[in-house]
């Protein structure tokens, strides 16, 4: 029987502390649950070739190079998988956990057991940083910030860390309740970073200046908030590892919990915003993934998840598909969301816009592309107007052309003056049917290189 790493229970009640990150290193789970029948939303494909046996692929992110990157907790690797499923492993020195695509185009990851943050470039070259990270803090969650830096959580010392592209680390502790255990972290639509507080049953918000606000009202005691992501609706969504719930917090701090439709005992873990406008999450101990709509309606999908695989990390890839890890099967799975938007539009006569992830360089044209799925009768491109709100206070037109029956391509370009993360909203107005629909994505804009070729610091 394969040994699995299990979350430690809280010591001493709500105010207790654990010797290691209670939720961050709880990535490999043991229990299995009964599997109910459900219809899968789209075909799934699994990839195992190239993944070392027993490596336990953990968390996963989309890279600027168009590939997926993932951590291998036991294998001491960072893995790269192409959209076609070709895997390459790169060695690290200390059990990587969290992973994110950085604003600088590199992939960044945490090594909690060594109190380090690592960076890996597209060639696989790894650089690890420990200076400025307090010993015993155990960095876990990690995300790209809107300020061009990378931000991470330090659960065991109640810190939030910031690391600049050159490796300079700053830790923030003021305003974070002692014993809160920040774990998951993500950038919000308001220009701040949002993080979970597993041991306090709270959500925190930290501005890029370091100012912290904490929220607890609306979270059921004992829920243990874990991972967090930004939804396409502009809200933050989070899992409750012990609560069998998905939570939502709006930018003002109002929290709503959803439990209906979630099978007890699943220990909800990773989550991501899908291109279909919903949020998708993993249920490791029930061997299934779940989908929650903005309205709170939950659907679970056990099909095509390897029995005993215990899915953990999940992300939306550069190809628009969902990719998730199965640590106890040493597999990566891909779930195609390309079909459902068109089917939804046909069934409900609701136009659906899906927007691709966008990256660019400050001072240079940045392009955004989107697809409109629309089966409403009586309309053509002459009756549809597309516009883009670029997230920096400007709005402009977008081109829209028919590429296939009920499929339209949308495109536009814009020049950002400054680096950062910008929320892009594409709006399509159907003047014939008096309907309007929107789609959103983030634009990750990196600094322009200096004319003399020197690196910016």
């Amino acid at each position: 029987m394969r040994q699995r790493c299990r979350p430690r229970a809280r010591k001493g009640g709500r105010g207790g502390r654990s010797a290691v990150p209670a939720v961050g290193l709880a990535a490999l789970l043991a229990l299995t649950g009964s599997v109910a029948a459900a219809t899968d939303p789209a075909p799934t494909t699994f990839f195992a070739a190239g993944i070392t046996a027993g490596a336990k692929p953990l968390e996963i992110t989309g890279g600027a190079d168009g590939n997926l990157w993932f951590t291998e907790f036991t294998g001491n690797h960072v893995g790269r998988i192409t959209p076609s499923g070709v895997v390459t492993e790169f060695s690290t020195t200390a059990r990587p956990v969290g992973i994110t695509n950085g604003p600088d185009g590199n992939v960044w990851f945490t090594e909690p057991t060594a109190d380090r943050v690592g960076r890996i470039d597209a060639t696989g070259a790894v650089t690890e940083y420990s200076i400025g990270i307090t010993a015993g803090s155990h960095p876990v969650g990690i995300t790209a910030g809107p300020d061009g830096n990378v931000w991470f959580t330090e659960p065991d010392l109640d810190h939030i860390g910031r690391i600049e592209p050159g490796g300079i680390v700053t830790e923030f502790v003021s305003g974070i309740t002692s014993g809160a255990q920040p774990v998951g972290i993500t950038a919000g639509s308001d220009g701040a970073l949002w993080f979970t507080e597993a041991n306090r049953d709270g959500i925190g918000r930290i501005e890029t200046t370091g100012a912290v606000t904490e929220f607890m009202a609306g979270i059921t005691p004992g829920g243990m908030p874990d991972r967090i992501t930004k939804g396409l609706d502009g809200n933050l969504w989070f899992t409750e590892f012990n609560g069998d719930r998905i939570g939502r917090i709006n930018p003002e701090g109002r929290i709503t919990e959803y439990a209906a439709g979630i099978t007890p005992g699943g220990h909800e873990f990773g989550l991501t915003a899908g291109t279909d406008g919903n949020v998708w999450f993993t249920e490791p101990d029930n061997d299934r993934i779940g989908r929650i709509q903005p309205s709170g309606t939950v659907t679970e999908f056990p099909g095509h998840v390897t029995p005993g695989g215990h899915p953990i990390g999940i992300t939306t890839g550069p190809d628009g598909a969902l990719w998730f890890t199965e640590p106890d099967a040493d597999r990566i799975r891909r779930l195609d969301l390309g079909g459902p938007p068109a089917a939804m539009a046909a069934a409900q006569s609701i136009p659906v816009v899906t927007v691709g992830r966008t990256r660019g360089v400050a001072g240079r044209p940045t392009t955004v592309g989107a697809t409109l799925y629309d089966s409403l009768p009586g309309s053509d491109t002459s009756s549809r107007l597309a516009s883009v709100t670029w997230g920096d206070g400007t709005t402009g037109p977008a081109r829209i052309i028919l590429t296939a029956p009920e499929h339209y391509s949308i495109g536009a370009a814009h020049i950002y003056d400054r680096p950062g993360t910008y929320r892009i909203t594409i709006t399509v107005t159907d003047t014939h049917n008096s309907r309007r629909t929107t789609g959103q994505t983030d634009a990750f804009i990196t600094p322009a290189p200096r004319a003399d070729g020197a690196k910016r610091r």
Side-chain angles (χ1 to χ4, degrees), residues 13-36:
R14 290 176 54 81
R17 304 295 300 276
S18 64
V20 298
V23 185
L25 294 184
L28 309 177
L29 305 168
L31 298 178
T32 56
S34 59
V35 177

Side-chain angles (χ1 to χ4, degrees), residues 101 355-360 365-370 390 412 414 416 420-422 424 426 440-445:
N101 184 51
V355 190
R357 188 172 291 181
T358 301
R359 303 185 187 280
T366 296
T367 59
V368 63
W390 292 99
H414 179 67
Y416 288 97
T421 302
Y422 299 88
I424 293 177
I426 292 182
Q440 292 184 318
T441 192
D442 286 327
F444 298 96
I445 307 301

Side-chain angles (χ1 to χ4, degrees), residues 21-409:
V23 185
L25 294 184
L28 309 177
L29 305 168
L31 298 178
T32 56
S34 59
V35 177
T39 301
D40 283 307
T44 60
T45 306
F46 77 83
F47 304 96
I51 299 176
T52 301
K56 294 191 182 295
L58 203 55
E59 303 209 33
I60 187 167
T61 190
D65 59 350
N67 298 310
L68 286 299
W69 294 74
F70 56 95
T71 54
E72 293 182 349
F73 179 72
T74 305
N76 291 328
H77 294 146
V78 169
R80 181 185 66 205
I81 182 170
T82 68
S84 61
V86 178
V87 173
T88 306
E89 295 177 319
F90 304 95
S91 295
T92 66
T93 58
R95 297 196 170 200
V97 174
I99 192 166
T100 190
N101 184 51
D104 60 350
N106 295 310
V107 171
W108 293 74
F109 56 94
T110 58
E111 294 178 312
T113 60
D115 295 318
R116 285 197 297 254
V117 169
R119 182 189 69 203
I120 183 169
D121 66 20
T123 68
V126 173
T127 307
E128 295 167 312
Y129 302 94
S130 59
I131 296 175
I133 300 176
T134 304
S137 62
H138 300 128
V140 173
I142 191 166
T143 192
D147 57 350
N149 299 310
V150 172
W151 292 71
F152 56 96
T153 59
E154 298 178 276
D156 275 14
L157 291 181
D158 303 315
H159 293 167
I160 298 296
R162 181 188 69 204
I163 184 166
E164 301 174 21
I168 298 174
V169 172
T170 305
E171 294 179 318
F172 300 93
V173 64
S174 178
I176 302 175
T177 300
S178 178
Q181 266 196 352
V183 178
I185 188 168
T186 193
S189 58
D190 58 348
L193 288 302
W194 292 73
F195 57 94
T196 57
E197 296 182 325
N199 208 44
R200 185 175 179 264
D201 296 319
I203 301 294
R205 176 185 182 273
I206 183 168
E207 300 177 15
T208 54
T209 60
V212 172
T213 307
E214 295 179 311
F215 305 93
M216 285 186 66
I219 299 180
T220 303
M224 194 178 282
D226 200 318
R227 274 20 183 200
I228 187 168
T229 194
K230 177 173 55 180
L232 296 185
D233 59 354
N235 297 311
L236 288 305
W237 294 76
F238 57 94
T239 54
E240 295 186 36
F241 182 83
N242 277 351
D244 292 319
R245 287 181 293 267
I246 301 296
R248 182 189 68 201
I249 182 169
N250 69 9
E252 290 73 43
R254 187 171 64 251
I255 294 171
T256 307
E257 293 181 316
Y258 300 96
I262 299 177
T263 302
H267 291 116
E268 292 68 39
F269 195 86
L271 76 173
T272 190
T275 57
D276 58 353
N278 302 310
V279 171
W280 292 76
F281 57 94
T282 59
E283 298 181 61
D285 281 4
N286 283 338
D287 281 328
R288 64 189 65 188
I289 60 172
R291 179 188 69 203
I292 183 166
Q293 300 176 23
S295 62
T297 301
V298 172
T299 307
E300 295 178 317
F301 302 97
H304 299 297
V305 175
T306 304
H310 304 123
I312 291 285
I314 187 169
T315 194
T316 297
D319 59 351
L322 291 175
W323 293 75
F324 59 95
T325 63
E326 294 182 325
D328 282 345
D330 294 318
R331 290 178 172 180
I332 304 293
R333 279 194 179 267
R334 180 185 184 275
L335 188 152
D336 185 8
L337 293 184
M344 186 192 327
Q348 304 178 12
S349 296
I350 298 175
V352 177
V353 172
T354 58
V355 190
R357 188 172 291 181
T358 301
R359 303 185 187 280
V361 177
R364 300 178 182 176
T366 296
T367 59
V368 63
T371 301
L372 169 69
Y373 302 86
D374 192 353
S375 63
L376 290 174
S379 298
D380 54 27
T381 53
S382 65
S383 64
R384 289 182 172 85
L385 303 174
S387 63
V388 184
T389 300
W390 292 99
D392 61 352
T394 61
T395 299
R399 71 180 187 279
I400 180 168
I401 59 174
L402 181 68
T403 56
E406 302 178 3
H407 289 61
Y408 297 81
S409 176

Side-chain angles (χ1 to χ4, degrees), residues 425-445:
T425 302
I426 292 182
T427 301
V428 179
T429 302
D430 181 350
T431 58
H432 179 83
N433 291 289
S434 299
R435 297 233 186 175
R436 177 178 295 173
T437 188
T438 62
Q440 292 184 318
T441 192
D442 286 327
F444 298 96
I445 307 301

